[in-house]
Amino acid sequence: MKIERRELIRQLSPETAVNVLLACWDYLETGERPCGLSPIESVAFASFMPDMEEAWKSYLQRITARKADAV
């Protein structure tokens, strides 16, 4: 996640911030959007989606490039 999003997290209550960050990690592990988030948690989670998808795509490109270099 981009460091610029830190301000968003700081504006949330500590409990909400933790729930959002855990939901992001769960999404990265499972690829499934979390259910059971409150409306504000869902909005905050959605704001991280582009960052997470960009980071995942970049990660996959690095993995693919390493495999190609190893051949």
Side-chain angles (χ1 to χ4, degrees):
M1 288 180 256
K2 295 183 179 177
I3 197 75
E4 298 89 35
R5 303 291 186 250
R6 180 174 39 189
E7 187 57 36
L8 170 73
I9 290 295
R10 285 187 173 151
Q11 293 179 27
L12 301 172
S13 71
E15 180 180 353
T16 299
V18 168
N19 288 343
V20 170
L21 292 173
L22 289 174
C24 289
W25 284 323
D26 288 345
Y27 174 77
L28 291 173
E29 289 178 354
T30 66
E32 296 179 15
R33 293 181 70 104
C35 57
L37 296 176
S38 72
I40 190 68
E41 291 167 345
S42 293
V43 169
F45 174 82
S47 74
F48 285 107
M49 286 296 296
D51 295 344
M52 291 187 292
E53 289 174 348
E54 179 183 323
W56 187 252
K57 182 179 177 183
S58 176
Y59 170 75
L60 291 176
Q61 288 173 342
R62 286 193 313 269
I63 296 292
T64 303
R66 284 187 200 149
K67 287 180 181 178
D69 288 342
V71 173

